[in-house]
Amino acid sequence: MFWPTKKDLKTAMEVFALFQWALSAFVIVTTVILVNLYLVVFTSYWPVTVVMLTWLAFDWKTPERGGRRFTCVRRWRLWKHYSNYFPLKIVKTKDISPNHNYILACHPHGLMAHSCFGHFATDRTDFSKIFPGITPYMLTLGAFFWVPFLREYIMSTGSCSVSQASMDFLLTQKGTGNMLVVVVGGLAECRYSLPGSTTLFLKNRQGFVRTALRHGVSLIPAYAFGEADLYKQHIFTPGSLINRFQKWFQKMVHIYPCAFYGRGFTKNSWGLLPFSQPVTTIVGEPLPLPKIENPSQEIVTKYHTLYIDALRKLFDQHKTKFGISETQELVIV
């Protein structure tokens, strides 16, 4: 009789933790829609749907007002299995004072931003011990907060909307010691997420710099070595039908549809699991910015350039530790 070993059980829990998070949006959204359609069309319990929508309208602004985090959710044992799958590691290069607020820009986005979620939306990689007195707020698309139950689940991890109103609230109404975590490249950067790639979608992403200037907060560069190596992509021939569709789709909705793949449930199989290899996020030194309520485009561009220089410096200082050639540089597009 086959009995699973401790290693088998450990691997199974890690895979479950990954699938649970990756599929939660799809499962919750589908369930909410189908259940409410059933209640409205086939039963007399339609008031349940009315109450749900009323609560949604009443609570609509919460993701832009600090969210609703639960420490117990951030400390779930499940997230430890999640981070152990790769594993994930976070390293600081400079102590960060809890007497100020910060905007941390994390690079690269990768396909799923696994390292960003693991470090800043959970506390199972010891963020609170490494950065005492700092409260991270992972900022994500506002669309994730449109669906009941899904929005509660995401907010419970300390995540908030990436809208301007949300960032302004967190930097002015929540005291000090707040770290707003933004994956600057966003979904547009997914197309560059290839093993060995060091290309970042950053040249025209200046909004986070403008916000930092308006509030006079420091910018912190962070680079996740290994994030881009977690999946492979099939690159279609330039000009082919599928390639033209990808470009059209990106132009319409600002999302690049990638044909990505990883590993399956067995070691050498094909599937949608990320490859289990280490991802280390290096958090750089804060870059102080002056407070300018209405910065001109020239000022924003100046500090955006200084930020890119700081990010390049951080990358160059650590790249050889993670198998990247001394001659390979960051490519900013």
Side-chain angles (χ1 to χ4, degrees):
M1 183 180 293
F2 171 76
W3 290 98
T5 64
K6 288 185 177 180
K7 183 178 179 180
D8 294 329
L9 293 174
K10 177 178 178 293
T11 300
M13 286 301 300
E14 291 171 356
V15 170
F16 172 75
L18 277 166
F19 267 113
Q20 177 273 147
W21 176 247
L23 295 178
S24 60
F26 174 76
V27 172
I28 294 175
V29 170
T30 303
T31 301
V32 168
I33 292 175
L34 293 179
V35 168
N36 280 281
L37 282 176
Y38 176 77
L39 292 177
V40 171
V41 177
F42 299 105
T43 76
S44 59
Y45 294 102
W46 57 265
V48 173
T49 299
V50 173
V51 170
M52 187 181 301
L53 293 176
T54 302
W55 167 252
L56 182 63
F58 174 79
D59 197 53
W60 188 256
K61 292 292 185 180
T62 298
E64 295 184 343
R65 295 174 180 169
R68 197 161 36 236
R69 73 171 54 215
F70 289 97
T71 302
C72 59
V73 174
R74 288 175 54 84
R75 295 287 301 168
W76 273 356
R77 179 69 182 176
L78 190 67
W79 304 134
K80 186 65 175 177
H81 294 299
Y82 180 98
S83 63
N84 284 344
Y85 174 89
F86 302 96
L88 302 178
K89 182 180 180 182
I90 188 169
V91 177
K92 71 175 178 180
T93 59
K94 188 80 172 182
D95 287 335
I96 296 178
S97 171
N99 297 321
H100 305 282
N101 290 327
Y102 308 89
I103 295 178
L104 182 144
C106 197
H107 313 271
H109 182 281
L111 265 300
M112 300 288 184
H114 285 296
S115 58
C116 184
F117 174 80
H119 294 312
F120 305 114
T122 84
D123 195 23
R124 278 301 186 171
T125 57
D126 295 328
F127 178 92
S128 59
K129 294 180 181 178
I130 298 172
F131 300 99
I134 300 296
T135 302
Y137 291 89
M138 192 181 81
L139 305 185
T140 187
L141 293 173
F144 285 120
F145 304 101
W146 294 352
V147 181
F149 301 108
L150 176 63
R151 68 199 307 270
E152 268 60 51
Y153 187 24
I154 294 176
M155 282 194 291
S156 69
T157 67
S159 299
C160 294
S161 170
V162 75
S163 69
Q164 187 63 58
S166 175
M167 298 180 75
D168 290 341
F169 182 91
L170 292 170
L171 292 173
T172 59
Q173 304 297 320
K174 299 289 285 186
T176 60
N178 301 307
M179 178 186 285
L180 280 58
V181 181
V182 183
V183 189
V184 178
L187 294 173
E189 198 171 75
C190 291
R191 63 181 301 182
Y192 305 109
S193 183
L194 298 163
S197 172
T198 55
T199 300
L200 302 179
F201 189 74
L202 182 58
K203 183 179 294 184
N204 296 318
R205 294 294 174 102
Q206 298 185 353
F208 71 107
V209 179
R210 185 181 298 276
T211 298
L213 284 167
R214 287 179 54 243
H215 294 279
V217 300
S218 297
L219 289 174
I220 303 178
Y223 194 91
F225 289 93
E227 181 72 45
D229 302 325
L230 297 179
Y231 296 94
K232 294 180 180 180
Q233 285 193 53
H234 180 78
I235 305 300
F236 296 98
T237 304
S240 66
L241 179 63
I242 297 180
N243 180 251
R244 292 201 303 271
F245 168 77
Q246 289 176 311
K247 292 181 177 180
W248 172 83
F249 193 85
Q250 183 183 30
K251 184 178 180 180
M252 295 297 293
V253 299
H254 305 289
I255 298 174
Y256 190 81
C258 302
F260 68 93
Y261 61 94
R263 54 162 286 189
F265 291 104
T266 56
K267 187 174 182 180
N268 296 315
S269 62
W270 177 94
L272 295 179
L273 284 172
F275 295 109
S276 53
Q277 55 190 47
V279 181
T280 302
T281 300
I282 307 295
V283 178
E285 181 178 351
L287 175 66
L289 269 66
K291 184 174 182 177
I292 306 174
E293 291 188 6
N294 294 297
S296 64
Q297 184 57 49
E298 290 76 17
I299 292 293
V300 173
T301 300
K302 172 187 173 181
Y303 284 98
H304 184 260
T305 301
L306 291 176
Y307 172 79
I308 291 178
D309 291 342
L311 178 62
R312 288 188 189 277
K313 181 180 178 181
L314 179 72
F315 177 81
D316 290 338
Q317 287 177 339
H318 298 275
K319 62 185 179 183
T320 57
K321 303 174 187 176
F322 302 98
I324 299 176
S325 169
E326 183 70 45
T327 59
Q328 188 167 350
E329 298 181 350
L330 278 182
V331 178
I332 308 298
V333 297

